[in-house]
Amino acid sequence: MAEPVKVLVTGAAGQIGYALVPLIARGHLLGPDQPVILHMLDIAPCMDSLKGVEMELLDAAYPLLRGIVATSDVVEAATGVKVACMVGGFPRKAGMERKEVMGKNVSIYKEQATALEKYADKDVKVVVIANPANTNALVLKEYAPGIPSKNITCLTRLDHNRALGQIAQRVGVPVINVKNVAIWGNHSSTQYPDVNHGVVKTTEGVEKSIREAVADDEWLNGEFIKVVQQRGAAIIKMRKFSSALSAASAVCDHVSNWIRGTPAGTWVSMGVFSDGSYGVPAGLIYSFPVTTKNGDWEIVQGLPIDDFSRAKMDATAAELVEEKALADSIIKE
Ligand code: NAX
């Protein structure tokens, strides 16, 4: 069997952390033949809770789990990791200004990026989950210039999976029969879930475009988009807590596809550095449809973009430009 790989989860004592670490220990992140050593980071006041998670991981006797580091020391957490799942962050609380929250996250990401650059594996692959995920990923790159841009991503796979789920439910097929939706832009309510290039395999085994299978453009251009954009808020309303199970599962899908590839003819959505494709300003972390192979991603090129999509893709880019400007102003202060 392969040598164990060290995987970092920050914010590991939180909700997503609690749902994510067992999936990693079961092989859902790196595969069923890849032993792992879990590095779990959280802040000092959460150490009892983190130790409790460590105890439960031991009690679960996962065959692939070869070691656990549970710590509030960023350097210890970052040392030697090949994959970093950045879940920890400062949540926006009632009455807080956006700039204040961003300021707290900039200092968190500065410290963690600096440690990753210095102590992580040179080819560490990073996925930022903590909000504002796209901009936190940009901040991370700012303070870890030595980590290749291609290795720094943010999570929009949950939005992608939510879109697949909505289409599957509407058409009445298992979710595996739906593919190639795309999430463009920010992991926020301005994101654009795009079905124009997606495919559904009907229960009779016939492949149709999503538009043909759904046969309701009004729903696809209206309610569907809103439901996906606001799904996080809808979950909070019902559960009283934000999405955790689905977010953890999406992290595993993101990393697993990134490292092990996407099946032929299928793409997924990832927040990655824009190279200017589709007229998206270069240098933003923007969600694109991507294919992956041998640990590398490529933006899917050549998709036709109509005026409706263009306007939505530009609106979410504009929000990211604004967020970036805010983060830049904090970084310069
Ligand atoms: P929780 O508040 O349950 O957990 C966050 C954890 O981070 C806490 O244990 C906290 O102590 C820890 N933390 C805070 N500062 C830290 C630091 N400096 N170093 C290490 N740990 C630190 O939140 P949870 O529900 O787990 O959500 C985590 C993040 O994911 C939030 O920012 C949330 O907004 C974001 N989400 C992103 C999603 C995405 O698709 N990109 C979807 C789900 C989720 O909303």
Side-chain angles (χ1 to χ4, degrees), residues 188-199:
S188 77
S189 57
T190 68
Q191 66 176 262
Y192 171 44
D194 177 3
V195 295
N196 288 340
H197 326 283
V199 178

Side-chain angles (χ1 to χ4, degrees), residues 9-18 41-46 49 71-72 74 86-92 104-105 107-109 111-112 128-134 136 154-159 162 187 232 236 239 241-244 246-248 250-251:
V9 176
T10 71
Q15 286 207 88
I16 296 176
Y18 190 71
L41 176 73
D42 213 294
I43 50 176
C46 294
S49 176
T71 183
S72 59
V74 182
M86 312 300 286
V87 184
F90 195 91
R92 189 166 180 177
K104 299 227 182 259
N105 281 303
S107 41
I108 291 174
Y109 276 78
E111 188 194 16
Q112 295 179 357
V128 177
I129 297 101
N131 281 315
N134 302 53
N136 282 343
C154 84
L155 187 75
T156 56
R157 184 61 175 271
L158 176 55
D159 310 296
R162 284 168 171 165
H187 169 71
I236 294 174
R239 222 173 71 84
F241 296 101
S242 55
S243 317
S246 53
V251 174

Side-chain angles (χ1 to χ4, degrees), residues 28 57 84 107 119 138 205 214 252 283 326:
H28 290 276
L57 285 168
S107 41
Y119 300 104
L138 272 186
V214 171
C252 291
L326 184 60

Side-chain angles (χ1 to χ4, degrees), residues 79-96:
T79 300
V81 299
K82 278 196 154 182
V83 178
C85 306
M86 312 300 286
V87 184
F90 195 91
R92 189 166 180 177
K93 294 181 181 159
M96 272 179 96

Side-chain angles (χ1 to χ4, degrees), residues 192-193 219-229 308 312:
Y192 171 44
W219 180 78
L220 282 172
N221 295 344
E223 199 188 331
F224 161 77
I225 293 177
K226 261 201 209 128
V227 166
V228 177
Q229 287 173 334
F308 180 85
K312 294 212 169 318

